[in-house]
Amino acid sequence: MDTDRAGLRDRKKQQTRIALSWAAIRLTVERGYDNVRIEDIAAEAGVSTRTFSNYFGSKGEAIVARHHDRARAIATALGERPADEPIWDAITQAALDGFALGEPIPDGQGATPAWVEGLRLMVAEPTLQGEFQKAGAAAETEFALAVAERTGTDPARDVYPRLVAGVVVAALNVVTQQWLIAEPQPSLEEVLRDVFGRLAAGLPEPR
């Protein structure tokens, strides 16, 4: 029973964290970064500002939290792929499984121009770049561990897992940026498959 209660508490905490992060993203996309306060985010998520402070130290942390969660989910999904699957096939499918965090992968037909423009401005917000860099560094560490486990290499000494991890983080950033600027806008899955397909093929020159 104690284990059940602890598990329920952990799930509620995770749900609150997710709600706060989505509230921060939604309000920033709709209003712009400078026009969103911590009080607004807490109210949108239905909690107090004190509760917000229990989870995040700033609105920037709250916004980038889902970015970090996504990277962690992809690393976890990679660890669960079949051992005999080619590495880039496994990474591509892990990215597809983990990118959406259990939600539908955005389709270009379902995103309004205003929402996409708001996302574009949010991702480019100078104040958030430090948070995105911290999330990217943490993601590289997690990806390197997952790749090392899969390939029997040492993430502290071997170049391969660290190189692949750096490429994956860069590729995921390209996926997001390309999806935001492409016209007409494709589905995120199309962009992701295109980017990782090029990597799997060794990045051949465009013809």
Side-chain angles (χ1 to χ4, degrees):
M1 186 63 70
D2 288 343
T3 302
D4 291 342
R5 281 199 294 268
L8 179 60
R9 280 198 302 272
D10 287 344
R11 285 194 296 274
K12 286 185 175 179
K13 285 180 179 179
Q14 181 64 2
Q15 288 168 358
T16 300
R17 182 177 179 278
I18 291 170
L20 283 166
S21 184
W22 271 126
I25 292 168
R26 187 163 54 250
L27 291 175
T28 300
V29 168
E30 292 173 354
R31 303 180 186 179
Y33 182 81
D34 291 336
N35 298 317
V36 178
R37 304 172 304 159
I38 287 174
E39 291 84 353
D40 301 327
I41 298 168
E44 180 78 3
V47 300
S48 67
T49 54
R50 182 175 180 179
T51 296
F52 177 95
S53 298
N54 289 337
Y55 289 87
F56 301 111
S58 68
K59 63 180 179 181
E61 280 186 23
I63 291 168
V64 176
R66 294 306 277 162
H67 182 71
H68 195 180
D69 290 348
R70 182 174 292 114
R72 184 181 295 116
I74 295 171
T76 299
L78 177 59
E80 296 170 350
R81 299 300 305 167
D84 60 349
E85 190 174 28
I87 184 69
W88 285 107
D89 290 349
I91 289 172
T92 301
Q93 193 56 51
L96 288 168
D97 293 343
F99 206 99
L101 294 169
E103 296 143 8
I105 293 182
D107 187 319
Q109 302 303 313
T112 66
W115 178 259
V116 172
E117 179 61 19
L119 277 175
R120 190 180 294 131
L121 291 173
M122 184 187 76
V123 170
E125 170 59 44
T127 312
L128 290 177
Q129 298 315 301
E131 293 294 341
F132 278 123
Q133 287 173 6
K134 284 194 291 184
E140 279 197 39
T141 298
E142 296 199 35
F143 288 144
L145 290 171
V147 173
E149 177 70 22
R150 185 177 186 84
T151 57
T153 51
D154 184 345
R157 295 189 303 174
D158 294 331
V159 69
Y160 186 79
R162 289 181 284 115
L163 178 60
V164 171
V167 170
V168 169
V169 170
L172 290 172
N173 287 335
V174 170
V175 168
T176 300
Q177 295 288 348
Q178 184 65 22
W179 183 74
L180 288 172
I181 66 172
E183 292 183 2
Q185 194 176 50
S187 72
L188 193 59
E189 179 174 350
E190 286 179 77
V191 180
L192 193 150
R193 286 191 181 280
D194 179 30
V195 169
F196 282 91
R198 291 169 189 259
L199 289 173
L203 281 181
E205 271 187 63
R207 296 188 181 278

